[in-house]
Amino acid sequence: MPTRIAVVDKDLCQPRKCSQECIRFCPVVRTGKRAIYFDEQLNRPVITDLCTACGICVRKCPFEAITIINLPSELDEHCIHQYGPSGFKLFKLPMLKQGKVIGIIGQNALGKTTIANILAGSIIPNLCSSDGSRDEVIRRFRGTELQTYFTRLYGNRLRVIHKTQYIELIPMVIKGKVKEALMRVNSDEGKVLEVANKLNLTHLLDRDVSVLSGGELQRLAIAAAILKGGDVYIFDEPTTHLDVTERLRVAKAISELTSGNRYVLIIDHDLAVLDYLADLVVILYGKPGAYGIVSSIKGAKEGINEYLRGYLASENMLIRREAIAFKPTPPPREVRKERVLVEWSDVTKNLGDFKLIARSGQLMRGEVVGVLGPNGIGKTTFARILVGELQPDEGVVIPYGVVRISYKPQYIRDIAIKYPELTVSSMIGKVAGVDYREKPHWPDLANGLLLTPIMDKSLKELSGGELQRVMIAAALLKDAELYVLDEPMAYLDIEQRIRTARVIARLAEEKEATVLFIEHDVTMLDYVSSSVMVFDGEPGKLGMANSPIDLRKGMNMFFKAQDITFRRDAHNGRPRINKKDSVMDRIQREIGEYYYYVTEKE
């Protein structure tokens, strides 16, 4: 007999806005009991064991809140945690190993945060059949490394440091200067200065926490976690808002924590960094909001390749119908005068102590121009000049004809503050027009970015990730010739990033639109870009914007300046970061191929 999972998603279910036809039309009533009933305390329907999986309630629900799925019965014994009757279920846990970095790959709403909270001890798993107790959990994992882990955790013999993903909350709870905040965590000034130097925080020590950027807050949170000194480190999305160099700096600092037989768990959506940092990975699969299953543990390379292929060999499980592959050989960039959409002369702009110098260049119809550069180098300033939010001190931007522009800014929380009562549907309509549901890309965006369940929510109710998905959809649904997207992949999971990238590529091809794609996730920038624009200089002081060029020249220019080499995976062409001074790193430096180097098939 299969295991039946019947879930009513508490975030999607809106019982006061419907006639509760899911209950009225349920055909199963036995001994006076229904297969589905309304629980006043939970404020949502609950599906009982009488359910026959006829699917009527699933079809009747207008909010797609009900999921009924049959799974193999052997999963029953691996059920770890359930959020109340007919709530989300998590199956299995990753096996932590001392001295190793374990990575988690998977979509949002599959249980990654639940796993982190269980392993941190803030949630005691109920094992889906009881109220849960520490002794039961320890018995469940007898004979495995997790038994040892939970025995030590519940015996207060492990100090767990959990760096959460919600870094935007830091200024609300931590006041004062950066150095003061770190000294409150660890009073050893020498250690504070050592960690600050590792994470490039030294120049920020006298700056107030309240004025830090997203990337600076991220590095502060990671520094504080390291300084606390623990036995277990859990890092939830530690690379958000960081540029490529900062991501590698953070990865190195995290990898050093494995000494002394510590446990390290990392949850991140940047596949290049996860591949570089993790020794082993697990893959989360299932149905978002309904259930999540943790795969067997795999080597980092093999696990990421299986995830991209969409088929998990040891589980014999297809998790995606289409494999994801990258371009090992970049396309050339042909400059054709008749296809130029926007052109600019040499441009300069002074903003306080910072100066931007942009060399003359052109954007052509039908191309996606990836923008690469460290934080604080002027990428957003250039984007604002291009869309007319800032006027250059010298030089001009010349559009060819009437150019409608769609702009997704880097920081979007101000939009929710400005329009707190506006619903998601109204916000998208305000940006993209009231007929946005008729546009060909709406189904892809609605499904890929999980927008349907939140359409009636007000902007003030949205999380940072939900607001990001709304503003991406609004920007891409707007009728325009030029799309300027500033860090659109922040807060998105891997599947959402890939679907968004595919919509961007189709927009450029089908509408002959131009997309300026500012992004720090090199894997996604590689996946979608047809050319690249490289920024260099001195962050915070001088930014130099080079003209758009073909991918090979641009990637080599940028990564040579960053002193980083990438090789390409032989099976799917994905970019993989080389360890410094490894054999491959030395070979690529000698031949001057810092990015497009395809290894031989194994």
Side-chain angles (χ1 to χ4, degrees):
M1 287 289 292
T3 293
R4 179 170 298 126
I5 294 182
V7 174
V8 181
D9 193 314
K10 61 181 177 59
D11 294 323
L12 304 187
C13 182
Q14 302 179 54
R16 306 309 179 195
K17 292 185 179 180
C18 72
S19 58
Q20 296 181 29
E21 292 183 345
C22 57
I23 296 173
R24 293 198 302 115
F25 283 89
C26 178
V28 181
V29 181
R30 293 177 187 166
T31 62
K33 295 182 179 179
R34 282 186 173 274
I36 182 170
Y37 69 94
F38 191 83
D39 188 306
E40 293 289 346
Q41 188 173 0
L42 295 173
N43 193 34
R44 59 176 167 83
V46 169
I47 302 172
T48 72
D49 291 338
L50 297 177
C51 175
T52 61
C54 67
I56 291 175
C57 61
V58 177
R59 294 191 294 273
K60 290 294 181 181
C61 178
F63 305 110
E64 299 181 12
I66 301 176
T67 301
I68 298 177
I69 296 171
N70 289 327
L71 291 175
S73 56
E74 53 265 27
L75 270 178
D76 259 350
E77 62 185 81
H78 297 294
C79 194
I80 301 299
H81 192 70
Q82 182 174 17
Y83 287 96
S86 301
F88 175 86
K89 280 187 175 183
L90 174 68
F91 295 90
K92 304 182 183 180
L93 283 175
M95 198 71 67
L96 297 187
K97 295 182 180 291
Q98 289 180 295
K100 300 288 186 183
V101 177
I102 309 298
I104 298 182
I105 310 172
Q107 289 178 263
N108 290 331
L110 284 179
K112 293 192 295 294
T113 300
T114 299
I115 290 170
N117 286 329
I118 288 173
L119 295 175
S122 53
I123 290 178
I124 298 175
N126 56 30
L127 306 179
C128 303
S129 60
S130 66
D131 293 332
S133 72
R134 291 177 171 86
D135 290 339
E136 284 183 81
V137 174
I138 291 170
R139 282 196 297 272
R140 166 64 67 88
F141 294 105
R142 61 183 176 272
T144 70
E145 291 178 71
L146 280 175
Q147 181 187 26
T148 304
Y149 179 85
F150 282 116
T151 301
R152 295 177 65 194
L153 178 67
Y154 296 151
N156 295 320
R157 299 201 302 274
L158 286 178
R159 176 172 167 79
V160 181
I161 310 301
H162 185 188
K163 201 292 292 182
T164 69
Q165 60 182 300
Y166 303 112
I167 57 170
E168 65 272 13
L169 302 178
I170 292 174
M172 300 179 191
V173 295
I174 297 178
K175 306 300 180 184
K177 308 290 185 184
V178 170
K179 186 176 180 179
E180 293 170 357
L182 294 176
M183 289 293 290
R184 287 196 290 269
V185 173
N186 191 318
S187 58
D188 184 341
E189 185 174 6
K191 185 66 175 175
V192 167
L193 294 177
E194 178 189 339
V195 172
N197 184 56
K198 280 184 183 179
L199 297 176
N200 194 29
L201 285 170
T202 306
H203 65 292
L204 301 174
L205 291 175
D206 293 325
R207 191 171 297 179
D208 199 273
V209 172
S210 62
V211 300
L212 297 183
S213 68
E216 291 164 348
L217 286 173
Q218 183 74 270
R219 283 180 283 146
L220 172 62
I222 293 167
I226 293 172
L227 286 168
K228 285 179 181 178
D231 306 297
V232 182
Y233 288 90
I234 299 173
F235 292 94
D236 199 343
E237 298 190 26
T239 65
T240 304
H241 299 306
L242 301 182
D243 63 40
V244 178
T245 306
E246 290 168 343
R247 291 181 185 207
L248 291 187
R249 190 179 288 118
V250 163
K252 183 179 179 182
I254 292 175
S255 67
E256 290 174 357
L257 294 173
T258 56
S259 63
N261 281 331
R262 297 186 183 97
Y263 298 96
V264 180
L265 181 74
I266 178 171
I267 302 166
D268 207 273
H269 300 302
D270 186 328
L271 292 180
V273 172
L274 199 65
D275 181 32
Y276 179 80
L277 175 58
D279 299 297
L280 302 163
V281 299
V282 296
I283 297 167
L284 260 179
Y285 60 98
K287 182 175 175 57
Y291 71 96
I293 303 173
V294 177
S295 76
S296 59
I297 202 159
K298 308 169 188 292
K301 175 189 171 183
E302 293 75 15
I304 292 172
N305 282 351
E306 282 192 18
Y307 182 81
L308 293 175
R309 190 163 60 244
Y311 174 71
L312 309 185
S314 56
E315 284 78 15
N316 191 26
M317 177 63 63
L318 188 71
I319 62 172
R320 193 188 318 101
R321 292 182 180 180
E322 295 180 359
I324 299 165
F326 296 81
K327 306 180 288 282
T329 303
R333 183 177 192 255
E334 297 180 14
V335 178
R336 293 161 56 187
K337 192 67 178 177
E338 69 273 14
R339 295 187 66 81
V340 174
L341 179 72
V342 177
E343 190 170 11
W344 59 92
S345 64
D346 288 346
V347 166
T348 63
K349 180 67 181 178
N350 291 284
L351 292 173
D353 295 331
F354 177 77
K355 182 176 184 178
L356 172 68
I357 301 173
R359 298 184 177 94
S360 61
Q362 304 163 321
L363 298 178
M364 291 184 296
R365 297 179 186 275
E367 72 173 346
V368 180
V369 181
V371 178
L372 269 173
N375 283 327
I377 206 71
K379 301 186 299 296
T380 297
T381 301
F382 178 78
R384 293 177 66 196
I385 291 173
L386 206 59
V387 302
E389 280 193 7
L390 291 176
Q391 295 302 315
D393 298 330
E394 297 177 17
V396 291
V397 176
I398 307 165
Y400 280 64
V402 177
V403 178
R404 294 170 296 175
I405 297 171
S406 179
Y407 178 43
K408 202 292 290 183
Q410 178 182 4
Y411 298 110
I412 54 178
R413 182 51 67 183
D414 290 346
I415 296 169
I417 295 172
K418 187 176 181 180
Y419 305 107
E421 303 301 329
L422 213 59
T423 65
V424 169
S425 180
S426 300
M427 184 68 221
I428 297 176
K430 181 181 179 67
V431 175
V434 293
D435 63 339
Y436 68 87
R437 293 176 187 265
E438 306 300 320
K439 297 182 179 179
H441 299 297
W442 167 246
D444 284 340
L445 291 169
N447 295 326
L449 298 179
L450 302 179
L451 296 176
T452 305
I454 62 173
M455 294 302 287
D456 294 326
K457 280 188 175 183
S458 63
L459 297 189
K460 67 180 180 182
E461 297 178 87
L462 301 182
S463 67
E466 289 172 335
L467 185 60
Q468 176 81 309
R469 280 149 39 200
V470 170
M471 297 315 299
I472 290 169
L476 293 178
L477 289 166
K478 183 177 179 180
D479 286 326
E481 286 74 43
L482 175 61
Y483 294 85
V484 180
L485 309 175
D486 199 343
E487 293 195 32
M489 300 303 185
Y491 299 111
L492 302 189
D493 65 37
I494 298 170
E495 297 289 336
Q496 291 166 354
R497 292 181 185 201
I498 290 166
R499 292 193 183 194
T500 301
R502 285 174 173 170
V503 170
I504 290 170
R506 284 205 303 274
L507 270 176
E509 182 180 356
E510 295 171 7
K511 294 180 63 176
E512 290 200 323
T514 303
V515 182
L516 197 70
F517 184 72
I518 304 170
E519 184 54 51
H520 292 307
D521 184 340
V522 174
T523 305
M524 286 298 103
L525 191 139
D526 175 282
Y527 186 73
V528 75
S529 300
S530 54
S531 57
V532 69
M533 188 172 178
V534 176
F535 282 65
D536 52 33
E538 187 177 355
K541 294 184 179 180
L542 175 65
M544 302 287 293
N546 293 282
S547 305
I549 53 177
D550 68 74
L551 282 166
R552 185 181 292 277
K553 288 180 183 177
M555 292 297 201
N556 277 327
M557 176 194 299
F558 177 72
F559 287 112
K560 184 176 182 179
Q562 302 303 314
D563 198 29
I564 302 167
T565 63
F566 283 73
R567 66 193 182 281
R568 314 292 290 194
D569 188 87
H571 300 284
N572 49 40
R574 68 180 172 93
R576 303 185 66 201
I577 305 169
N578 291 320
K579 302 286 185 183
K580 188 71 179 289
D581 294 325
S582 66
V583 172
M584 198 63 67
D585 180 65
R586 294 197 303 270
I587 290 172
Q588 290 182 226
R589 289 174 190 276
E590 286 176 10
I591 64 175
E593 191 66 85
Y594 282 74
Y595 193 72
Y596 287 101
Y597 186 89
V598 181
T599 58
E600 295 181 4
K601 291 186 179 294
E602 298 174 350

